[in-house]
Amino acid sequence: MFYFCVSLVLPLIGASIASPLKNLDKRDLPSFVRQYAPVAYLDSTEIYFPSSIAGQATHTHPEDGSGNNIAGAPSPLTLDNLNSLNNFASSGTNVYLTSDEGIEALPSWLRGVEPDSSGSTGSTIASLIITVSKPNNILDAFYFYFYAYNQGNWVLGLPALEFGDHVGDWEHTMVRFVNGAPTAMWFSQHSSGEAFTYSAVQKYNNGDRPVVYVANGTHANYAIPGTHDHTIPGLNLLAGPLEDHTDAGVFWDPLVNAYTYSYDNTTGVFTAYNGQDPTGYLDFAGRWGDNQLPDSTSGQIDVFGERKYVAGPTGPRDKDLGRSNVCPTSQSCSVSSILLP
């Protein structure tokens, strides 16, 4: 109702305002997107903490899929010019933000910033919020979390069988609002995830904000603490050969310091709510980390086609922001009213 009233009043202020709601959106997020923003608990054994999104550009250089430096790329790389890399190497999809030291060096910047006792990462911006308006009074708020490094799982608990390590790690949860009220929530987990009704998920201090438990190393998002076997995508069990582990370890409040945007699903345009946050990086089509290491590389593991060092992920624009259902279009899942492993 608030937005309806403002949309009636703003046209009276000046005829030059073409889209009152769009201009309003540039000033601040809808209040309910903040009110129901998730909080996170990182696992107590975590060593790869939330990381600076801008820092990922500072510590990397662009290479193509063959490992060649991209000639003519902007220098230095910034969040404002990352999208210019789309003009190189197959429209940008074959561009890799490659760590200057190499993935096996595990430089200290990959460890990110451990949140303080209040849940803040200080001046480090490691999160962003993207809202997407949809038919039937639906607004989806995507809460993205960035980590400079993803440490993969140990198969059968064996360190020698660690698979899925990569530089750069984008994770997210999504809260679906209908008429400004939260109705459901999505938790991303590797290549799949889970969805629950808003009423089912745990709330921080018994308030409005949902609680997310972040898995050690992989940063997959879960609705409950404990052990989560994800050997079969989309099916979580209490134990198995490929487990994530979560607990109420380090508290992180991603809302404290986040970039905020709206996304137009028709035009594909991102708009900063404050008119200042960088937007170029959101259009970057490439990978946010090194390419998968060749099998001949010392330290690389290949067991039945699974590798230790794999390619970094693509960014938020490829997370099905325009989905119709709470679950991504590529996944068939139900919205559960009961918290399960």
Side-chain angles (χ1 to χ4, degrees):
M1 181 63 70
F2 171 78
Y3 286 109
F4 175 74
C5 294
V6 172
S7 65
L8 292 178
V9 174
L10 282 178
L12 302 178
I13 298 177
S16 61
I17 298 178
S19 176
L21 183 57
K22 183 176 181 181
N23 281 272
L24 176 66
D25 283 351
K26 288 183 178 180
R27 294 207 299 268
D28 198 11
L29 282 169
S31 60
F32 56 83
V33 174
R34 293 184 181 276
Q35 179 180 352
Y36 299 100
V39 300
Y41 281 105
L42 302 161
D43 190 79
S44 56
T45 59
E46 184 62 72
I47 61 173
Y48 295 106
F49 293 104
S51 304
S52 168
I53 302 170
Q56 200 74 1
T58 302
H59 292 289
T60 60
H61 60 278
E63 293 184 359
D64 62 21
S66 299
N68 301 311
N69 289 333
I70 294 179
S75 181
L77 287 177
T78 69
L79 296 187
D80 289 310
N81 64 27
L82 270 185
N83 57 328
S84 66
L85 295 176
N86 293 348
N87 298 320
F88 302 89
S90 302
S91 300
T93 57
N94 202 33
V95 174
Y96 298 81
L97 299 184
T98 306
S99 53
D100 292 337
E101 301 88 347
I103 186 173
E104 292 180 284
L106 294 179
S108 60
W109 62 269
L110 293 179
R111 292 183 176 254
V113 176
E114 182 175 356
D116 63 23
S117 59
S118 69
S120 171
T121 54
S123 60
T124 296
I125 299 179
S127 58
L128 57 93
I129 302 171
I130 299 174
T131 64
V132 188
S133 295
K134 298 175 181 178
N136 301 316
N137 297 315
I138 291 174
L139 183 139
D140 286 342
F142 290 82
Y143 302 86
F144 280 93
Y145 320 112
F146 185 73
Y147 309 86
Y149 192 71
N150 177 101
Q151 183 176 29
N153 291 127
W154 294 355
V155 179
L156 298 174
L158 300 174
L161 295 179
E162 179 177 298
F163 297 111
D165 292 28
H166 56 80
V167 174
D169 191 14
W170 282 105
E171 302 290 345
H172 73 279
T173 56
M174 184 267 277
V175 177
R176 169 154 292 187
F177 297 93
V178 179
N179 293 316
T183 61
M185 186 170 176
W186 165 259
F187 295 75
S188 72
Q189 302 159 359
H190 308 285
S191 60
S192 58
E194 295 176 288
F196 301 93
T197 60
Y198 169 77
S199 60
V201 299
Q202 295 182 21
K203 310 301 190 303
Y204 179 63
N205 283 344
N206 295 316
D208 296 327
R209 302 181 67 184
V211 174
V212 179
Y213 294 93
V214 181
N216 177 46
T218 69
H219 307 125
N221 298 299
Y222 292 93
I224 58 175
T227 300
H228 312 266
D229 176 69
H230 59 92
T231 305
I232 302 175
L235 177 63
N236 290 314
L237 303 173
L238 290 174
L242 197 59
E243 295 176 348
D244 274 329
H245 299 276
T246 63
D247 63 24
V250 179
F251 175 70
W252 179 32
D253 187 351
L255 183 63
V256 172
N257 200 1
Y259 294 130
T260 59
Y261 307 92
S262 62
Y263 175 73
D264 189 315
N265 194 43
T266 301
T267 63
V269 173
F270 294 93
T271 303
Y273 271 100
N274 63 6
Q276 299 176 349
D277 289 343
T279 56
Y281 73 101
L282 293 170
D283 291 316
F284 172 51
R287 302 277 187 154
W288 283 76
D290 301 40
N291 196 1
Q292 178 173 301
L293 290 183
D295 290 346
S296 59
T297 305
S298 176
Q300 178 66 295
I301 299 173
D302 177 8
V303 178
F304 301 117
E306 298 295 327
R307 269 73 172 185
K308 178 175 182 178
Y309 297 112
V310 299
T314 55
R317 77 170 204 162
D318 290 334
K319 306 310 180 200
D320 199 7
L321 301 178
R323 67 187 71 170
S324 299
N325 299 319
V326 175
C327 302
T329 305
S330 61
Q331 180 176 345
S332 176
C333 78
S334 60
V335 179
S336 175
S337 60
I338 303 173
L339 290 185
L340 300 171

